[in-house]
Amino acid sequence: MIAEALSILRIAFRALARNKVRSALTALGVIIGVASVIAMIALGSGARAAIDEQIQSTGTNVVFVSAGSHNRPGAAHGGMGSVQTLTLEDATAIREQVPTVAYLTPVVRGRAQVIAGSQNWNTSIEGADESYLTIRNWPLADGENLSPRDVLLADKVCLLGDTVARTLFPGEDPVGQVLRVKNLPFRVIGVLSPKGQGQWGQDQDDVVVAPYTTIQRKLLGITFIHQIMISATRSDAVERTAVDVTHLLRQRHRTSGPEDDDFSVRTVEEMAETRSQLAQTMSGLLMSVASVSLLVGGIGIMNIMLVSVTERTREIGLRMAVGARTRDILSQFLTEAVSLSVLGGVAGIVLGVAVSAALTRVLGWPTMITAGAILVAFVFAAAVGIFFGYYPARKAADLDPIDALRYE
Amino acid sequence: MAPLIQTVGLRKDYRVGDVIVPALRGVDLEVAGGGFVSVVGASGSGKSTLMNILGLLDQPTGGRYLLSGEDVSALDRDRRATLRNRTIGFVFQSFNLLARTSALENVELPLLYDGTHATAADRHRRARALLEAVGLGSRVDHTPAQLSGGQQQRVAIARALVTGPRLLLADEPTGNLDSRTSIEIMEILQRLNRDDGLTVVLITHEHDIAEYGERNVVFRDGRVVDDQPVSRRRDASAELQALPAPEEAA
Ligand SMILES: Nc1ncnc2c1ncn2[C@@H]1O[C@H](COP(=O)(O)OP(=O)(O)OP(=O)(O)O)[C@@H](O)[C@H]1O
Ligand SMILES: [Mg+2]
C-alpha cells in the first residue's frame, strides 16, 4: 500500500519535474495564497497575544476614568493636561457607591528630573495609593509597598521601576537610599519587578511611584486628580462597573451624555480593541488576497492539468491498455495536481513566515507563527489541489482507451 | 477444452453523425491456446476493430466474445482493464512507449496495475529478465529516443509479456520497421509461441509477414472470407542465420 502510494507520488513528481518552469508558474498562485493565509493567521495570533499581554500587564479587570472627554483630543489620554474635572470626591463617591469596585486609586502624573548622587534621570512620576500595585498586577521585587499611612501623611517615599532603579543605583540596593525629585528628597522603600514594554512600545519600568498626596501637594501643587484607576471584582463585572461609574459621574458632573462628558471611562479591553481592529483590518486585507490567490492558483492548476491531460492522452490510453483502471488514472492525475498545490503550499508557508517576520521587523506589528497556522495553510493548499484537480483527473480517467491510444 | 478465443457473430457498428459504419459484420473465429494466427486484409477491412475487441479495449455492438470460455462481451471498464492486465499483451505499430522513460520502466508499467503490489526490486528483476529475453539486456536504461525502431518494438514486446499473459495481440508490429528488423521481431514472436506456448494473433497487411503464422485468416469488409493453415510457414530464426551479420549488433 505504501509502496504503491510512493510509486504514484514518484510518477507525479516526475511529470511535474518534466516542466519545471511551467509547474513553478502554476504553483505561484497557491504560493501567494498560502503565504497570505500564513501572514493573516500570524498577524491575528500576534495581535491576540499582544492584547492578552497588554491586558495582563495593565492589570486584570481594570477600568480607567480619565479627566477630559473622548471628544477633546489631547485632554483624554493619560490625563497629562490641565483638565481639572476629576476630583478626590469623585473617587470617594465611586468607591462608596459602585458595588463592583474591588480596588481603586486616584492617580496623578507628571514628569520630572530625578537625581541620586551623580546620576541624573528624567522619568515619569505616578502618584497613587497603596492599591496601585494590586490593580496593575505589579509585584514588588524588593522592599515594601506604599502604606495607607504614607498616603495619609503625604510622606516623601517612593517605589522605583526597574529601569529607574538600575539607572540611578547601578550595582547597589536602592531600598533605603534617597533620591531627589525637584530638590525634594524621597526615600526609596521598594523596587518594582520588571514589566517590559507597554502598548505603544514605551518602557513601563521607567517610572517612579509615590503617594498621590505627596505628588499633588509637594510636586505639582494641584488639588484635582488626572485619573481614577479601578479594578472590578470579577472579569464579568468590568462592563457593569464602567457603566455604573459613567452614570455616577454624569450625575455628579451634571452632564447628559458622551457629547458633553468631561471625563472618559474606558476598560482595558476597550483600549486593546483599537489594536485588535487594526490587526483585523490587515487580516481582512490578507484574507482577500489569500482567497483571490488561492482561487486564481486553483484555476491555474486546473488549466495546466487539462493541458497536461490533453498532451498525455496517448500515455493515458497506453496505461489503460496495459491495465490501469479508472481509479488508477484518477489518482495519478489527482496526485499530480495535489503535489503541485502542496509543493506550492510548502513554498507559500516559507514565504508566509518570511513575510510575517518582515511585518514585525519593518512595521513593528506583532506576529506569531503557530503550528495550527501551518496546518491550516497546508490543508488549504491540498484542498485547492483536490478541488481544482478533480475535474481534469476525472476527464483523464473517463477517456476511452481506444480514442486515447489513437489520439494524435 | 474451450478455445482461448471464440467469437460468435461478432458485430461492430461505428456511428459517425447519422451514418452507421459497419466495421465487423458477423465474425466467427476460434483461436486455440498456443496458436499463432495471422489476420490479413485490405485497409479498412476491420482488422484493427477486431483486435480492439479481442483485446477488450472495445466492446462489440453484437455477437459474443468468449475468452477462455467466459463471455466477456459485456464486462465493465475496470473488469476489462484487469483482464487486459493479466491475460492480454499488446504490441502496436507505433510502439507506444512512454517518452523520456527508460526501457526498464516502460516494461514495468503493467506491473503498477496488476494489484500484487510487487516491490520495486521485484519489478526491476522481472522487467530486466524480459528485456534480456528480447536481447536488450544492455539497453535497460535507454529511453525510447535512444533506441532504434526495432529495439523500441522489442521493448514493447517485453512490456506486453511482463505480467505473463496467455495472449499476445500484435497490430502491424512490423509496419514501421525494415525487412531485417521485421524478421528479428518475428523471430521473437515465433520463439515465444513455440517455447512458452504464448498464443499470438498477428495483424498485418503484408502477406509475407503473415506467413510466419501457422494459420492465415483473411478479412474483407468486416467478414472472414478465408481461414487456412499456412502451407509453407516461414521460420524467422533460420532466415536470420542465413542473412549476413548486421553491421552493428543490437
Ligand atoms: N472510431 C471510428 N469511428 C468511425 N469509424 C471507424 C472508427 N474506427 C474504424 N472505423 C471504420 O471501421 C472500418 C474498419 O476499420 P479498421 O481500423 O478496423 O480497419 P483496418 O483493417 O485495421 O485497416 P488498416 O489496415 O488501414 O489499419 C473502416 O471503414 C473505418 O473507417
Ligand atoms: Mg488497422
Side-chain angles (χ1 to χ4, degrees), chain A residues 181-260:
Chain A
V181 183
K182 284 191 181 167
N183 281 328
L184 285 175
F186 278 74
R187 191 163 47 85
V188 179
I189 59 167
V191 176
L192 301 169
S193 58
K195 217 170 173 63
Q197 290 198 341
Q199 183 180 5
W200 309 107
Q202 80 277 28
D203 180 4
Q204 300 189 93
D205 298 317
D206 187 6
V207 71
V208 172
V209 181
Y212 71 93
T213 44
T214 318
I215 304 298
Q216 266 187 325
R217 293 173 211 163
K218 299 181 176 161
L219 230 55
L220 301 176
I222 57 173
T223 52
F224 59 90
I225 56 177
H226 293 126
Q227 194 175 54
I228 299 166
M229 214 181 267
I230 301 163
S231 81
T233 46
R234 292 198 320 272
S235 60
D236 56 7
V238 172
E239 284 307 313
R240 178 81 258 152
T241 310
V243 169
D244 289 351
V245 166
T246 306
H247 280 145
L248 180 63
L249 289 183
R250 278 192 189 141
Q251 264 173 31
R252 292 178 54 83
H253 294 200
R254 295 186 168 64
T255 59
S256 56
E259 305 78 38
D260 62 345

Side-chain angles (χ1 to χ4, degrees), chain A residues 319-378:
Chain A
R319 287 179 184 273
M320 287 173 166
V322 301
R325 289 150 302 178
T326 310
R327 69 178 131 106
D328 293 319
I329 302 293
L330 192 71
S331 66
Q332 180 187 339
F333 281 88
L334 209 51
T335 306
E336 210 172 302
V338 173
S339 302
L340 194 57
S341 69
V342 163
L343 283 181
V346 169
I349 288 170
V350 173
L351 183 67
V353 169
V355 166
S356 308
L359 282 177
T360 304
R361 182 171 283 237
V362 180
L363 299 176
W365 293 347
T367 55
M368 201 163 96
I369 303 286
T370 59
I374 287 174
L375 192 73
V376 166
F378 206 78

